[in-house]
Amino acid sequence: MKQFLAFVTKEFYHILRDRRTLFFMFGLPVVQILLFGFALSNEIKNASIAILDQSKDESTQALITRLDASRYFTIIKTLHHNNEIESVFRRGEVKLVVVFPANFRQELLHTNATQVQLVADATDTNTATTIANYAASIIRQYQDELLNEQKLPYTIRVENSMLYNPQLKSAYNFVPGVMAMILMLLSALMTSVAIVREKEMGTMEVLLVSPMQPLMVVFTKAIPYLVLSFVNVIIILILSVTLLEMPINGSLTLLLLECLLFIFTSLALGLLISSATHSQQVAMFISLVGLMLPTIIFSGFMFPIENMPKILQIISNAVPARWFYEIVKSIMIKGLGIDAIWRETLILLGMTVFFMGVATARFKVRLEG
Amino acid sequence: MNAVEVNNIVKSYNRGKPQALRGLSFQVQPGELFGLIGPDGAGKTSLFRILTTLLLPDSGAATVLGYDTVKDYKIIRRLVGYMPGRFSLYQDLTVAENINFFATVFNTTVAENYHLIKDIYQQIEPFKHRKAGALSGGMKQKLALSCALIHKPQVLFLDEPTTGVDAVSRKEFWEMLKKLKNQGITILVSTPYMDEASLCDRVALVQHGTILDINTPQGIIQNFGKPLWSVRSNDIYRLLNDLRAHDATYSCYAFGETHHITLKEDDFPIDIIYQYLQSKRHESIEIQQIKPNIEDCFMALME
């Protein structure tokens, strides 16, 4: 027990005295959450638009006011001629131009049909589609209100209801993803690098020629990272709840337990990597390419798994982060309990046991096999 | 019982590559200060790693304190102290933290075995709170030795402890080893420095994974068997070629500012060599018979 404590204390010294590592460990989660929360959002807010109103009647005024009043758009320019449209896009001043034809209200009232043209800058396809949809729905709302004044038979009204995330906040998506990424990075990368460093420095040789159980040498190195990763989970959750107004609808205890399970999975992967490598660079490379990349690509927080080719969907099953992402979303956002995520939990548990088993079996009590 | 016994150890790292150890055998008596002398790549580190149970030999067997290095590795690891060649301690821990850590790893405390390391540790104690990485090379070695000694090992393996250490620190280091030997600890030490051989009780000269000779340093020198001459002149480079060109020369190699030569016949008159060099227009020629040292023996054995 004394040996165990000495090892853990020593490991904490290593971490606490290495300012860069320390900054990396606690700065990274904060920066990631802030970045994704405020800078890298794919929500549209206050997109700059221009209006070309050739009718200037009661209806167009009403529509323009509504567009400007919505939080999605800010009208920064009023155009007077068709040929101005091209040049405002060229200068990149606006994302969308709304064009009302002449006699807009008259045609609407008398012929029952008129047109609005929405011209969007499609160099960024996602944004273009999204803001065009927003504008269209504002116009549709106006139309619906006009219809209410008349009696018209047969109307189909489409009512959208966004479950679990009514405001379509992107934070709901990336917080679980960032959590998976950071835990993977800290637990797997840091642990493997820390163990391999002992091999590189030659201290591993001395520790092997000692009464210490060789496996204990390795496991004690993982303990501090377990603690630090867990502290990070709590920091991420606090930031998400306070800054990003993310709810924790399900049980907090269950959420923390599942995070702990995923930390164990990552640590097991870190131990596995360290058993296969002899230099810090290789360990870092394998962790980044072999673990981080799949975590980002296959967990589903950046790219929906359902849209991937079948073969990639199958591969994604082998990525632990995918299951963790699923679990965190279910607990935090949907507020579900263990009865809804026992399958994912079991898969993660199985993976952890498997990785830990292979790492232990591969562990050498000597310098080479 | 021998403290260390090595029987015909063979070790190769890659199939087809030259073997690192080609059938080594030797014994070390309890309480002996035994030196493995040889250049880089002779196989010293491989041998130490086999004896400290870190590597498995391809064939042959070795025992430390009567325990087999393969079967009883756990027992051996409790009884020996090991200081690897590139052992650099934990650079970001202080001197005190390093030594306390290793004491705990070996289930003991610094206070318990302080008498063992006292002489060595006292020299670095003033720098107790300094990080190990900020120590000088000599002090690092003293700290490393303290760490290897803290659990009172019965056999101490020191792999090139004086490589890269200044002359004064080297001398101090060997004095410490002598004191440890007087406390009854068996010490195996490897070094590429031939001049350190005379400080050991017995030495094994190692080259290309084989042992050239095992003896006391005096014994090795006595076995040299031939008169050895030291020759110098004003043109040292031409001198080497001229000496090698002479029919009577058996061996000739540069040794500092002189050349050491042996002759094919022990009773060959050295005056003839002197006259030969004069005829070659060498000036200020000096020839004198000298006592061979370990390096001369090593060169002779390598032939």
Side-chain angles (χ1 to χ4, degrees):
Chain A
M1 194 58 206
K2 253 173 73 186
Q3 292 176 327
F4 178 81
L5 279 180
F7 257 92
V8 175
T9 330
K10 181 206 83 166
E11 206 52 39
F12 270 115
Y13 282 148
H14 286 323
I15 299 167
L16 296 179
R17 284 178 191 175
D18 185 355
R19 293 251 177 82
R20 263 183 303 168
T21 313
L22 203 62
F23 176 77
F24 185 60
M25 275 199 302
F26 289 101
L28 191 77
V30 177
V31 169
Q32 290 242 16
I33 288 288
L34 295 183
L35 260 184
F36 277 97
F38 295 106
L40 300 181
S41 162
N42 40 18
E43 291 170 47
I44 312 288
K45 269 182 227 141
N46 297 325
S48 314
I49 62 168
I51 305 287
L52 174 56
D53 185 358
Q54 294 163 327
S55 178
K56 295 202 169 65
D57 55 41
E58 194 189 319
S59 288
T60 60
Q61 275 315 312
L63 272 169
I64 290 169
T65 317
R66 273 162 196 250
L67 284 172
D68 204 18
S70 93
R71 67 187 177 96
Y72 304 116
F73 302 113
T74 312
I75 297 171
I76 61 152
K77 221 171 178 139
T78 313
L79 307 178
H80 303 288
H81 203 271
N82 260 330
N83 52 25
E84 284 175 86
I85 296 177
E86 183 100 28
S87 63
V88 287
F89 279 123
R90 282 236 183 104
R91 287 197 297 270
E93 287 174 85
V94 298
K95 298 243 183 281
L96 181 83
V97 174
V98 184
V99 185
F100 297 103
N103 306 322
F104 182 79
R105 187 174 169 84
Q106 278 190 324
E107 277 185 30
L108 182 65
L109 295 181
H110 299 299
T111 65
N112 285 344
T114 185
Q115 291 172 335
V116 179
Q117 193 182 18
L118 300 175
V119 189
D121 176 0
T123 43
D124 179 353
T125 35
N126 277 336
T127 312
T129 323
T130 315
I131 60 177
N133 282 338
Y134 285 163
S137 74
I138 290 173
I139 294 164
R140 204 175 309 119
Q141 246 176 24
Y142 179 72
Q143 175 192 310
D144 287 348
E145 282 165 28
L146 282 184
L147 284 179
N148 281 342
E149 294 167 7
Q150 301 183 356
K151 276 260 186 282
L152 262 185
Y154 315 125
T155 331
I156 298 177
R157 296 182 138 224
V158 180
E159 204 160 283
N160 295 331
S161 171
M162 297 296 176
L163 275 184
Y164 309 122
N165 187 1
Q167 292 150 291
L168 294 176
K169 278 197 172 176
S170 55
Y172 286 26
N173 245 330
F174 75 78
V175 166
V178 167
M179 222 142 92
M181 217 159 83
I182 286 173
L183 292 183
M184 201 51 131
L185 198 71
L186 284 186
S187 313
L189 188 144
M190 298 292 220
T191 313
S192 63
V193 166
I195 294 173
V196 174
R197 183 164 50 219
E198 298 249 1
K199 288 192 196 176
E200 241 181 40
M201 298 286 286
T203 40
M204 195 58 136
E205 262 177 84
V206 182
L207 294 181
L208 284 177
V209 188
S210 79
M212 282 286 287
Q213 281 294 322
L215 264 177
M216 172 124 134
V217 175
V218 175
F219 281 131
T220 47
K221 286 201 85 86
I223 304 268
Y225 292 99
L226 173 74
V227 175
L228 292 174
S229 299
F230 200 71
V231 172
N232 255 309
V233 166
I234 293 169
I235 292 179
I236 294 176
L237 287 180
I238 291 175
L239 281 180
S240 313
V241 172
T242 55
L243 279 179
L244 305 176
E245 289 158 4
M246 176 105 180
I248 300 178
N249 291 326
S251 147
L252 181 64
T253 321
L254 181 62
L255 180 64
L256 291 179
L257 282 177
E258 295 282 357
C259 287
L260 206 57
L261 173 62
F262 186 67
I263 294 173
F264 272 112
T265 319
S266 311
L267 288 175
L269 278 168
L271 294 182
L272 188 60
I273 291 172
S274 73
S275 75
T277 50
H278 289 278
S279 85
Q280 293 182 61
Q281 277 98 329
V282 177
M284 206 175 294
F285 185 77
I286 295 181
S287 306
L288 286 177
V289 177
L291 297 182
M292 276 299 288
L293 220 55
T295 299
I296 293 172
I297 297 174
F298 290 118
S299 64
F301 94 97
M302 289 245 179
F303 316 105
I305 293 171
E306 302 78 42
N307 294 358
M308 291 180 186
K310 192 83 196 154
I311 178 86
L312 292 185
Q313 289 193 26
I314 293 170
I315 292 175
S316 77
N317 287 330
V319 178
R322 184 213 152 135
W323 305 108
F324 178 66
Y325 180 68
E326 211 57 56
I327 290 171
V328 174
K329 273 211 317 196
S330 302
I331 300 176
M332 284 185 83
I333 302 165
K334 297 189 191 167
L336 301 177
I338 185 72
D339 47 324
I341 49 168
W342 63 270
R343 203 172 62 104
E344 286 83 356
T345 309
L346 268 187
I347 292 175
L348 266 190
L349 197 64
M351 283 178 166
T352 311
V353 171
F354 175 74
F355 292 139
M356 206 65 104
V358 177
T360 314
R362 280 188 56 97
F363 183 79
K364 300 177 190 91
V365 295
R366 296 189 162 83
L367 284 183
E368 38 118 69
Chain B
M1 186 188 69
N2 290 317
V4 174
E5 210 172 311
V6 178
N7 287 316
N8 208 18
I9 290 275
V10 175
K11 174 79 194 171
S12 60
Y13 288 99
N14 284 308
R15 209 176 286 215
K17 290 260 177 72
Q19 289 166 332
L21 300 173
R22 313 176 185 192
L24 286 182
S25 301
F26 64 87
Q27 290 88 36
V28 180
Q29 307 297 318
E32 208 176 3
L33 176 51
F34 188 88
L36 278 163
I37 319 282
D40 291 347
K44 303 186 297 285
T45 300
S46 301
L47 183 63
F48 271 36
R49 285 183 172 166
I50 287 172
L51 289 177
T52 51
T53 73
L54 287 171
L55 287 182
L56 297 170
D58 294 349
S59 66
T63 62
V64 173
L65 298 164
Y67 297 105
D68 187 86
T69 54
V70 179
K71 246 187 12 241
D72 308 320
Y73 74 93
K74 281 192 178 156
I75 306 174
I76 294 179
R77 287 180 180 188
R78 224 173 297 145
L79 300 176
V80 304
Y82 173 46
M83 186 173 144
R86 55 182 182 148
F87 181 39
S88 48
L89 304 150
Y90 294 105
Q91 311 272 334
D92 51 344
L93 298 193
T94 65
V95 170
E97 282 163 357
N98 264 297
I99 192 131
N100 283 323
F101 172 71
F102 282 104
T104 316
V105 165
F106 283 96
N107 259 332
T108 176
T109 58
V110 176
E112 199 175 320
N113 285 321
Y114 189 74
H115 63 280
L116 256 179
I117 57 164
K118 193 176 155 212
D119 288 341
I120 310 160
Y121 191 59
Q122 266 176 350
Q123 299 177 38
I124 44 176
E125 221 166 359
F127 312 104
K128 218 162 123 158
H129 298 296
R130 195 182 280 190
K131 300 252 172 79
L135 294 177
S136 71
M139 286 206 282
K140 265 185 202 163
Q141 290 308 77
K142 281 171 198 159
L143 176 58
L145 183 62
S146 304
C147 290
L149 276 172
I150 192 64
H151 61 295
K152 201 169 191 253
Q154 298 184 31
V155 184
L156 189 57
F157 293 92
L158 307 171
D159 192 5
E160 300 204 4
T162 53
T163 300
V165 175
D166 69 85
V168 178
S169 296
R170 271 169 63 186
K171 199 166 153 269
E172 283 176 358
F173 198 86
W174 277 95
E175 275 160 17
M176 287 186 278
L177 293 191
K178 231 171 244 168
K179 278 187 195 159
L180 291 176
K181 177 190 130 67
N182 292 337
Q183 301 198 29
I185 298 174
T186 310
I187 303 172
L188 268 80
V189 58
S190 75
T191 174
Y193 302 122
M194 305 281 168
D195 55 314
E196 290 180 345
S198 57
L199 303 167
C200 303
D201 293 338
R202 281 196 309 144
V203 293
L205 302 182
V206 199
Q207 166 81 335
H208 299 312
T210 50
I211 290 181
L212 302 175
D213 196 8
I214 302 182
N215 211 326
T216 58
Q218 297 78 15
I220 285 181
I221 288 166
Q222 273 156 23
N223 284 348
F224 190 73
K226 276 173 171 294
L228 180 72
W229 303 89
S230 159
V231 186
R232 68 194 306 167
S233 80
N234 59 341
D235 189 348
I236 200 89
Y237 177 70
R238 199 158 55 84
L239 182 67
L240 187 66
N241 292 330
D242 287 340
L243 284 171
R244 281 185 176 161
H246 198 278
D247 289 338
T249 307
Y250 176 71
S251 73
C252 173
Y253 47 89
F255 198 99
E257 293 190 339
T258 65
H259 299 310
H260 286 186
I261 66 165
T262 57
L263 303 174
K264 282 175 188 156
E265 292 157 42
D266 288 354
D267 48 1
F268 189 85
I270 199 70
D271 288 349
I272 296 179
I273 301 287
Y274 191 87
Q275 283 152 18
Y276 160 75
L277 290 178
Q278 276 183 325
S279 73
K280 289 280 185 185
R281 297 214 174 82
H282 283 280
E283 282 168 32
S284 30
I285 304 164
E286 278 175 46
I287 301 182
Q288 58 186 148
Q289 186 166 8
I290 51 162
K291 239 184 96 188
N293 59 27
I294 296 283
E295 193 162 344
D296 294 309
C297 301
F298 199 92
M299 297 297 277
L301 288 165
M302 270 167 58
E303 302 272 313

